[in-house]
Amino acid sequence: MSLELTYYFENKTILKENWLFQLFYDDESTSDFIGFSYYDTTVESIDYKGCVLNKASIQESIDLESSTAKTSNVSLTLANFDFNGNEFSRQLFNGNNKYINRKVKIFIQPDDTPDIDICVLIYTGRLEQISHNQEKINLSIVAQRPWDKISIPSTKTSGSDNDNIYFPVSYGDFIENTEGVGTG
């Protein structure tokens, strides 16, 4: 995923960096998430709990020869903090909100900016697995791309004049050929 840096990053030589983790639940609307970070911070009037115990690692690779790209999964370890009078692990396992298979976004927050538009989105994933003990919660997040779970049709023509020619794939607004193969 190529990053688009905001104007805030121009001509910066020293930058204080915090990572923001948005753990979405239920219908994944813009406000249906709980925020975590490396240290307590507030962005857009949303408190991000400084409970992330490990430094997350994100790796991407591109193989031009085979036309493939890979993005790593992310593992997070959180302190099992107090959340509305109970341990947060209870919210994840027995709460009213559903977190498994929901979106996770990771941002870089430069110099404690309170504006999410200045933060840089560096990763979008899906929460795949949760485990915990009394002190810690482990979250396993898998990479999510816009083209995940999309298949390209591989229908080929048949006939003496045009054997094994792939049907074209169209995107956007177009008029379908209703005449058949080799016409129109």
Side-chain angles (χ1 to χ4, degrees):
M1 169 171 91
S2 63
L3 299 178
E4 293 183 31
L5 297 179
T6 59
Y7 70 88
Y8 192 87
F9 287 84
E10 293 177 10
N11 302 318
K12 287 292 231 175
T13 55
I14 299 174
L15 186 69
K16 181 180 179 185
E17 176 184 303
N18 189 16
W19 284 26
L20 308 176
F21 303 88
Q22 295 179 342
L23 184 63
F24 285 81
Y25 55 86
D26 295 340
D27 67 359
E28 299 178 352
S29 71
T30 56
S31 62
D32 278 355
F33 69 87
I34 294 178
F36 309 110
S37 59
Y38 290 134
Y39 55 85
D40 290 344
T41 189
T42 302
V43 177
E44 305 279 337
S45 303
I46 296 171
D47 292 327
Y48 288 79
K49 180 79 171 165
C51 65
V52 179
L53 301 176
N54 66 318
K55 292 290 182 188
S57 173
I58 301 170
Q59 297 178 4
E60 290 187 306
S61 66
I62 298 174
D63 183 345
L64 297 176
E65 189 174 309
S66 64
S67 297
T68 60
K70 295 180 186 175
T71 302
S72 66
N73 297 335
V74 174
S75 296
L76 284 182
T77 303
L78 309 177
N80 199 0
F81 61 94
D82 179 64
F83 183 78
N84 297 333
N86 289 311
E87 295 172 336
F88 184 64
S89 59
R90 286 190 177 197
Q91 171 68 19
L92 291 173
F93 286 101
N94 298 323
N96 295 330
N97 301 326
K98 308 297 183 228
Y99 295 92
I100 292 290
N101 287 323
R102 299 295 195 264
K103 185 177 4 180
V104 177
K105 288 185 177 182
I106 303 175
F107 293 85
I108 292 178
Q109 177 196 28
D111 292 334
D112 297 329
T113 181
D115 187 357
I116 196 71
D117 291 334
I118 293 175
C119 298
V120 177
L121 177 64
I122 60 170
Y123 188 88
T124 301
R126 177 180 51 83
L127 182 62
E128 183 180 59
Q129 186 175 9
I130 304 169
S131 64
H132 75 100
N133 61 28
Q134 197 68 20
E135 296 85 31
K136 297 178 184 178
I137 303 168
N138 297 306
L139 305 178
S140 177
I141 303 161
V142 296
Q144 185 175 4
R145 296 294 192 187
W147 54 84
D148 286 349
K149 298 180 182 176
I150 294 177
S151 62
I152 303 296
S154 58
T155 308
K156 293 181 180 181
T157 61
S158 62
S160 59
D161 292 342
N162 47 8
D163 283 342
N164 293 322
I165 298 172
Y166 285 101
F167 276 70
V169 177
S170 300
Y171 298 95
D173 190 16
F174 68 95
I175 299 172
E176 182 179 355
N177 177 4
T178 58
E179 301 298 319
V181 176
T183 61

